[in-house]
Amino acid sequence: MSKQLARQAAGENGEELILAIDLGTSGPKVGLVDRRGRVIGSEFEPTLLHLLPGGGAEQDPQDWWRAIVSASRRLLGRQLVPLDKIAALGCTGQWSGSVAVGEDGRPLMNAIIWMDTRGVEAVRRLGQGPLQVAGFSLGKLLTWVRLTGGMPTGAGKDPIAHILYIKDAHPDIYRQTYKFLEPIDYLGLQLTGKYVASFDSIILHWLTDNRDAERIVYDDRLLAMSGIERSKLPDLLPPVGVLGGLTSRAAAELGLAEGLPVVVGAPDVHTAAVGAGAVEDYQAHLYIGTSSWLVCHLPMKKTNVFLGLASLPSAIPGRYLVVGEQESAGACLNYLRDQVFFPADELSHEEAPENVYQVFDRIVAGVPAGSQRLIFTPWLYGERAPVEDPYVRGGFFNQTLTTSRSYMLRAVYEGVAYNSRWLLESMEKFTGRRMDPIRMVGGGARSGIWCQICADVLDRTVLQVSDPIQANLAGVAFLAYLALGRMQVGDIPDWVQIEGTYQPSADNRGIYDELFAEYLQLYKSLKPIYARLNRHGRE
């Protein structure tokens, strides 16, 4: 957006803006967002991901902050709007991570992020006891479900597993830790100096009583079961609230005014729902980014252990949401790009073009639905939902000598959609409602052909949200405006624009029903093989 148009969008008549920060796994994005959810300018700065033997996945929190400062400085340096038009800051980003910080606020080690499975043994020990159900003793399971709505995942990817892993493997760091913080709450600490978590970000610690969505508190019984001290956990505030003012140090680094309000914020799953405009009960949105999720808001707390689904407090006060998260979605396309089509090795001398995803879309649009019955399973890093399985892996099935890269490409788009359909079936059983239409956001939603494939595979109308890659920035900005009293929740759907509407094609119904049934059969048949091959962990 040009500077002139940006100033017009910001309304040089005094309209306020939010500086929104979205900490993704690949790096933070920083944007200026107006009250209509329009991102009038943004900057991105990449950060490194460290994958370690045994299922480790880490990032350097100081690298996060360096990248945020760099992106913010570039954005503000474009002088799109006067700095005095910025009314507040808000943070969203990756969920289910753990940053161990000392009393000086400095990280004591790399952050353990949502992909890390090294806490799996700690979770198994945590669940030990008589009358095992879903890997947990019945008494513990009932306590967790009654109080929290869910329970620690067996894959060891929740913060409770991260913290227990640190306690076992790095006892010195555990002893030195003043607070364990989620990634977005670590950013809150950097901005305000306050050790605070939001009601939403803390949920996957499974240590809080969530029965009243407007009053989330730590529970002594859960703390005792976990063996984690309350003193090592942050205080809690609702996401639609002001955390504090920008410190002088942070203000100087970012180039903003000291004392600028910083909103508590919420994780990316929560803000994507708000940014998609899916704020009504039972209104679903599908996010396709590095990972993928299907989410809808609910008016009540509910759990179904057999479906592996639970409604958890949402970013909207007094409301809940149910989340089904797929571990790898856009990551599968990136894998194909980097490891198959344009690998950085001595056999390849061609770099991916800057418009590689547009090229992919054109190729996929020219391939018939069903990809000659080639099926891709997107489980490249295990799976969370609709089955929790750290051992399952991805692959192409039913290849022939005539299978080309074009068919492999379309099969990846379709494989991600098959997993979304699997999620949708579980979600609709859980809610007792047909979810139609479904809003679509994230980087994958920029692809019209991917939106159409999702509509065809899901057999649902797909609404492509305008500027879908910015949904998290828009969502956390809406939360900031709510916190400042500048808007109401009911205003949000009116501001979120729909770019395209994709109706399911009856011509593709038969082939996708057939291949989806085989997709489910592949998992059922290969599950024990994956377990035998991968039970010793990732290399």
Side-chain angles (χ1 to χ4, degrees):
M1 183 178 287
S2 71
K3 188 181 296 187
Q4 180 180 1
L5 290 176
R7 288 183 179 275
Q8 290 174 355
E12 291 187 306
N13 56 4
E15 182 176 344
E16 298 170 325
L17 295 161
I18 303 299
L19 184 69
I21 299 170
D22 177 15
L23 178 62
T25 307
S26 57
K29 183 187 301 179
V30 180
L32 289 166
V33 189
D34 71 13
R35 197 162 60 88
R36 296 167 180 79
R38 297 179 300 186
V39 178
I40 67 170
S42 67
E43 292 286 342
F44 170 79
E45 182 77 11
T47 54
L48 293 176
L49 169 63
H50 307 282
L51 298 179
L52 308 174
E58 298 180 353
Q59 292 188 298
D60 182 353
Q62 293 177 310
D63 193 27
W64 291 340
W65 181 247
R66 174 205 59 78
I68 287 168
V69 170
S70 177
S72 299
R73 282 284 188 175
R74 285 201 310 274
L75 177 61
L76 298 177
R78 290 161 59 185
Q79 298 181 339
L80 296 175
V81 296
L83 293 183
D84 61 7
K85 292 292 190 291
I86 299 174
L89 284 80
C91 293
T92 185
Q94 55 174 288
W95 195 19
S96 195
S98 299
V99 186
V101 298
E103 286 193 73
D104 60 359
R106 295 180 181 274
L108 300 172
M109 61 181 291
N110 276 348
I112 298 177
I113 70 165
W114 58 275
M115 301 168 67
D116 196 295
T117 61
R118 289 174 295 179
V120 64
E121 292 301 325
V123 173
R124 287 176 182 164
R125 292 197 302 272
L126 190 62
Q128 288 177 351
L131 299 175
Q132 291 276 311
V133 177
F136 293 88
S137 74
L138 182 59
K140 292 180 178 179
L141 177 65
L142 292 175
T143 300
W144 261 310
V145 170
R146 182 172 63 86
L147 295 174
T148 72
M151 58 188 175
T153 58
K157 296 181 179 181
D158 298 335
I160 188 173
H162 301 161
I163 295 170
L164 292 175
Y165 163 75
I166 292 172
K167 189 175 185 179
D168 291 342
H170 305 283
D172 290 343
I173 289 178
Y174 182 87
R175 283 193 295 271
Q176 295 173 47
T177 298
Y178 177 60
K179 301 293 180 187
F180 288 101
L181 300 174
E182 274 276 348
I184 65 166
D185 301 322
Y186 171 77
L187 299 186
L189 171 65
Q190 297 305 301
L191 294 168
T192 68
K194 295 189 176 181
Y195 298 85
V196 171
S198 82
F199 285 177
D200 301 334
S201 64
I202 202 67
I203 297 305
L204 296 185
H205 287 66
W206 304 112
L207 298 173
T208 51
D209 185 340
N210 305 328
R211 289 175 292 180
D212 181 350
E214 297 192 75
R215 185 180 177 272
I216 307 299
V217 294
Y218 292 109
D219 185 88
D220 290 340
R221 290 157 291 186
L222 299 175
L223 290 166
M225 281 200 304
S226 72
I228 298 172
E229 297 95 321
R230 165 65 182 89
S231 61
K232 292 188 179 293
L233 300 169
D235 292 336
L236 304 176
L237 286 175
V240 180
V242 175
L243 174 60
L246 196 63
T247 66
S248 58
R249 179 190 65 82
E253 290 192 61
L254 295 171
L256 292 167
E258 181 181 353
L260 193 67
V262 178
V263 176
V264 177
D268 52 8
V269 172
H270 301 72
T271 54
V274 176
V279 295
E280 301 292 336
D281 288 336
Y282 306 105
Q283 186 177 50
H285 86 272
L286 173 64
Y287 173 92
I288 295 183
T290 301
S291 60
S292 179
W293 57 72
L294 185 66
V295 172
C296 78
H297 284 93
L298 296 176
M300 73 293 189
K301 176 177 173 290
K302 180 181 178 181
T303 301
N304 187 316
V305 174
F306 301 103
L307 289 174
L309 293 173
S311 59
L312 303 172
S314 81
I316 299 173
R319 303 272 294 288
Y320 291 85
L321 52 73
V322 57
V323 181
E325 184 173 0
Q326 178 179 332
E327 196 78 329
S328 300
C332 300
L333 198 58
N334 292 343
Y335 170 83
L336 205 64
R337 178 197 64 193
D338 298 336
Q339 303 299 332
V340 179
F341 287 3
F342 305 102
D345 58 35
E346 60 187 23
L347 295 177
S348 176
H349 305 286
E350 186 179 359
E351 294 184 356
E354 290 186 5
N355 66 335
V356 65
Y357 295 112
Q358 289 79 17
V359 173
F360 285 173
D361 283 353
R362 289 198 298 270
I363 292 171
V364 168
V367 176
S371 306
Q372 288 185 328
R373 289 179 167 76
L374 177 69
I375 298 176
F376 173 75
T377 57
W379 311 311
L380 296 183
Y381 207 78
E383 191 52 282
R384 282 180 183 256
V387 292
E388 184 188 340
D389 190 338
Y391 305 126
V392 67
R393 295 293 181 270
F396 291 95
F397 294 87
N398 204 35
Q399 288 177 259
T400 73
L401 288 174
T402 62
T403 297
S404 68
R405 294 192 300 179
S406 300
Y407 286 91
M408 295 173 73
L409 257 179
R410 182 166 183 119
V412 168
Y413 283 53
E414 291 173 337
V416 171
Y418 294 146
N419 219 74
S420 297
R421 177 168 168 176
W422 198 6
L423 274 172
L424 180 64
E425 290 188 350
S426 296
M427 295 275 280
E428 290 187 336
K429 288 179 183 176
F430 182 83
T431 62
R433 305 288 185 95
R434 177 183 171 89
M435 297 179 179
D436 195 6
I438 296 173
R439 294 181 177 227
M440 192 162 161
V441 294
R446 292 188 295 181
S447 166
I449 187 61
W450 213 342
C451 289
Q452 185 61 59
I453 287 171
C454 286
D456 291 348
V457 171
L458 301 177
D459 191 27
R460 299 290 186 273
T461 299
V462 167
L463 303 179
Q464 180 188 36
V465 172
S466 296
D467 206 6
I469 201 169
Q470 309 286 25
N472 283 316
L473 291 179
V476 75
F478 285 144
L479 295 183
Y481 285 116
L482 290 170
L484 297 176
R486 306 295 199 269
M487 66 187 309
Q488 302 296 320
V489 173
D491 299 330
I492 294 173
D494 294 333
W495 293 128
V496 177
Q497 301 299 307
I498 301 301
E499 181 75 18
T501 299
Y502 296 83
Q503 302 290 349
S505 170
D507 294 339
N508 297 333
R509 177 85 272 118
I511 186 66
Y512 282 139
D513 283 348
E514 174 191 345
L515 295 181
F516 176 66
E518 297 298 346
Y519 179 89
L520 298 181
Q521 188 60 40
L522 278 171
Y523 175 75
K524 180 179 178 181
S525 301
L526 296 176
K527 178 181 178 180
I529 300 176
Y530 288 130
R532 291 195 297 271
L533 289 174
N534 301 308
R535 61 190 173 190
H536 299 298
R538 299 181 177 91
E539 299 301 328

